[in-house]
Amino acid sequence: MRLLKIQNYIGGSLVAPNSGKYLDNINPAIGEVYSQIPDSDRHDIEQAQQAAEKAKESWAKTPKNKRSEIMMRIADLIDQNLEELAKAESIDNGKPLKLAKAVDIPRASSNMRFFATGILHYSNESHDMDGIAINYTLRKPIGVVGCISPWNLPLYLFTWKIAPALASGNCVVAKPSEVTPMTAYLFSKLCIEAGLPAGVLNIVHGLGSKVGASITSHPKIKAISFTGGTATGKHIASVAAPMFKKLSLELGGKNPNIIFADCDFEKALKTTMHSSFANQGQICLCGSRIFVQRPIYDKFKTAFVDKVSKLKVGNPMDSDSNLGAVVSKEHQEKVMSYVALAQEEGGTILTGGVTVNPGGINEKGYFIRPTVIEGLSFDCRTNQEEIFGPVVTIMPFDTEEEVLTYANSTEYGLAATVWTQDVGKATRMGANLESGIVWVNCWLVRDLRTPFGGVKNSGVGREGGFNAFNFFTESTNVCIAL
Ligand code: NDP
């Protein structure tokens, strides 16, 4: 069988990599190669950068409403191709089709629409110096920028970066994760159909160590927006910072989910199922450390474990599968190594802790049963390191002070969830959690205008709303004496 060969999108055309070489792309739910990805290198990045350089003046001068119109057309095309894109995302990533249909793809079109319209409301600041002078601050596109995105929410996070970059008048050289390239490829076809001018967006597929590294180190790519692991982010910063590039880093997390005894029990229980295991736990915002206040600890644990043990892990295409496959064999092995570590550290597996073979066409896929572990100390490795899979730990606490110590003990600080009916307690937790995002009595409720990002080793900078436009523009203050 001839496998589909994904192509790079450079200078407005779909092209083969200069090397002529391809990598295998695996369907994780089947465990087999199903398409091929360009094994691109620095030559392809050079070509993409040159195409972007050629387009940058004209795109920067294109009126905002015209840029917006083109982006809105792309958003409409995403919606019109929802079924195909959702299926492709599910096959590439292993996530349930219903999740890709309900979340990933609709969110990709809303990212495009949000920034396409947001740019029309983005205005310059002006500061009047009481008759002495007047200042106004121009916001200009940077020029050519690099966007590098991960595999967990492929098109969702890819568009979250490129949309503000394009809307604010930059040309982009982008690299989706090599593990999940398909929807970015389909997206490049939609950009051509929508009439995005050649060179404005260039998508180069391939390995992080070659393609990502060439974007990061290219002297004419002036800003890097990266979402991925903390170790990769650290490496990227070590290359890009001495080149004085603008850097936005959205990195790993080890998010606490804090459940006080006065919570709405049923709501906390239901949402904790999602915040623990949505997308097989492979969302940077998933709560992987569940802290439950002692008076309801046993009740919550029993109800939670009962519900988790009933979740169906299976074919992502089946509408009754709650969890699909994890993204790759390597990732399955990594997650399972943490299950083993948790046991070595004295943890007890309350449910899960095993790989699953759903049989049939999924016999060789990479599936893991959702896992709940008890009996670990807050500072052991299992509770400090990012696992990024369907594995959570659960532990009791007594006081607010104690749970804050536990919650804030990791090197990460991306998101936290708090369950309480007491507004004073909610406010104190919001103020004292070391976290870029705190959800109270909800999880993953996203207003795209709000700042998004982490503190500590979870990242540098904020995405979302005008923060993203501020990142993707350079400011010039003009001071006119009166
Ligand atoms: P990685 O850091 O492995 O990869 C992210 C991207 O960087 C991929 O496109 C990867 O390419 C590329 N890359 C790898 N090495 C380099 C390099 N040397 N130079 C430049 N680019 C490189 O992360 P994952 O894809 O494994 O994603 C999971 C991680 O992402 C988790 O830690 C998760 O917490 C984090 N994440 C953070 C979010 C946030 O908003 N804070 C949101 C979502 C995920 P390739 O795939 O080819 O290796």
Side-chain angles (χ1 to χ4, degrees):
M1 192 178 68
R2 238 179 114 240
L3 296 176
L4 169 82
K5 277 195 163 91
I6 286 173
Q7 304 288 276
N8 288 332
Y9 171 50
I10 299 179
S13 305
L14 298 174
V15 293
N18 281 288
S19 65
K21 291 188 199 146
Y22 287 81
L23 304 158
D24 288 337
N25 188 22
I26 294 169
N27 174 339
I30 311 260
E32 280 176 9
V33 176
Y34 84 101
S35 64
Q36 298 213 294
I37 318 158
D39 184 8
S40 311
D41 57 30
R42 67 188 171 82
H43 301 291
D44 304 282
I45 290 299
E46 190 56 40
Q47 206 180 329
Q49 186 279 325
Q50 282 178 18
E53 197 70 33
K54 215 167 130 195
K56 83 174 184 195
E57 212 179 304
S58 151
W59 184 244
K61 282 189 185 149
T62 301
K64 290 184 190 67
N65 60 348
K66 182 78 194 149
R67 295 202 296 258
S68 174
E69 268 171 33
I70 298 173
M71 290 179 63
M72 296 293 269
R73 280 208 292 278
I74 299 174
D76 290 344
L77 285 169
I78 294 175
D79 289 344
Q80 286 161 26
N81 290 277
L82 171 77
E83 296 287 332
E84 186 195 1
L85 288 164
K87 198 165 170 214
E89 203 71 292
S90 169
I91 291 172
D92 223 16
N93 174 277
K95 68 178 69 204
L97 175 62
K98 63 181 178 199
L99 181 70
K101 256 193 208 174
V103 178
D104 291 71
I105 308 306
R107 177 57 195 278
S109 63
S110 44
N111 285 341
M112 295 304 285
R113 272 194 197 98
F114 176 78
F115 288 110
T117 50
I119 197 65
L120 305 176
H121 303 266
Y122 185 53
S123 56
N124 297 324
E125 299 146 42
S126 169
H127 302 276
D128 168 22
M129 296 175 70
D130 300 322
I132 301 167
I134 186 145
N135 295 272
Y136 60 90
T137 311
L138 293 173
R139 289 275 179 184
K140 305 181 221 167
I142 296 170
V144 180
V145 300
C147 296
I148 303 175
S149 52
W151 50 256
N152 62 327
L153 300 165
L155 192 63
Y156 173 140
L157 289 175
F158 186 73
T159 49
W160 178 240
K161 292 189 175 303
I162 62 164
L166 296 174
S168 49
N170 298 283
C171 290
V172 176
V173 177
K175 186 198 115 52
S177 171
E178 162 241 330
V179 186
T180 54
M182 189 58 84
T183 48
Y185 169 61
L186 298 174
F187 180 81
S188 55
K189 293 183 172 185
L190 301 183
C191 291
I192 296 171
E193 194 178 336
L196 187 70
V200 168
L201 171 65
N202 303 276
I203 303 174
V204 184
H205 297 273
L207 297 170
S209 54
K210 285 203 243 178
V211 177
S214 303
I215 293 176
T216 309
S217 61
H218 199 294
K220 291 190 174 159
I221 298 179
K222 297 292 187 191
I224 305 289
S225 174
F226 169 82
T227 298
T230 294
T232 317
K234 191 174 175 181
H235 175 72
I236 287 177
S238 75
V239 176
M243 298 175 83
F244 306 110
K245 296 191 183 203
K246 277 187 108 174
L247 263 180
S248 168
L249 303 172
E250 296 295 338
L251 309 175
K254 188 74 182 173
N255 308 313
N257 177 7
I258 301 166
I259 300 169
F260 284 100
D262 66 358
C263 70
D264 176 332
F265 187 88
E266 288 307 322
K267 215 170 154 197
L269 181 64
K270 189 167 172 232
T271 308
T272 297
M273 297 292 290
H274 293 298
S275 65
S276 302
F277 301 117
N279 206 37
Q280 297 71 246
Q282 302 165 136
I283 300 181
C284 53
L285 305 165
C286 278
S288 53
R289 297 176 294 150
I290 306 173
F291 301 109
V292 188
Q293 207 166 20
R294 206 171 303 271
I296 60 161
Y297 181 76
D298 284 330
K299 183 179 165 199
F300 187 91
K301 180 181 83 173
T302 308
F304 184 61
V305 168
D306 179 54
K307 271 182 173 295
V308 175
S309 63
K310 289 181 182 142
L311 290 173
K312 185 184 164 205
V313 182
N315 189 339
M317 296 295 150
D318 291 348
S319 58
D320 63 343
S321 292
N322 302 109
L323 284 84
V326 296
V327 78
S328 66
K329 187 165 196 315
E330 295 70 33
H331 195 58
Q332 185 192 42
E333 285 166 4
K334 179 195 150 184
V335 174
M336 292 310 294
S337 76
Y338 273 102
V339 173
L341 174 71
Q343 287 166 294
E344 280 164 33
E345 290 184 319
T348 305
I349 313 271
L350 300 179
T351 182
V354 289
T355 58
V356 195
N357 173 0
I361 56 161
N362 302 110
E363 202 175 17
K364 288 189 277 167
Y366 317 126
F367 296 85
I368 299 177
R369 270 223 65 82
T371 302
V372 183
I373 305 171
E374 186 190 36
L376 290 167
S377 67
F378 76 92
D379 56 355
C380 68
R381 277 185 59 204
T382 309
N383 271 328
Q384 294 290 313
E385 297 175 16
E386 186 183 41
I387 302 175
F388 212 57
V391 177
V392 296
T393 63
I394 186 164
M395 68 206 84
F397 71 92
D398 290 297
T399 64
E400 272 178 60
E401 201 182 20
E402 179 191 3
V403 80
L404 274 171
T405 305
Y406 296 169
N408 291 339
S409 66
T410 74
E411 67 180 45
Y412 298 107
L414 186 56
T417 306
V418 178
W419 291 93
T420 176
Q421 306 272 37
D422 176 341
V423 73
K425 207 183 284 170
T427 314
R428 285 192 296 278
M429 296 305 281
N432 294 317
L433 280 163
E434 293 169 359
S435 183
I437 299 155
V438 177
W439 276 296
V440 178
N441 298 333
C442 60
W443 177 72
L444 210 61
V445 175
R446 289 278 294 120
D447 180 327
L448 304 188
R449 294 169 298 184
T450 58
F452 180 89
V455 300
K456 302 199 280 189
N457 293 3
S458 286
V460 177
R462 291 292 180 274
E463 298 181 322
F466 290 162
N467 295 288
F469 291 141
N470 289 345
F471 175 74
F472 284 115
T473 53
E474 284 289 10
S475 56
T476 298
N477 188 69
V478 181
C479 176
I480 304 178
L482 296 175

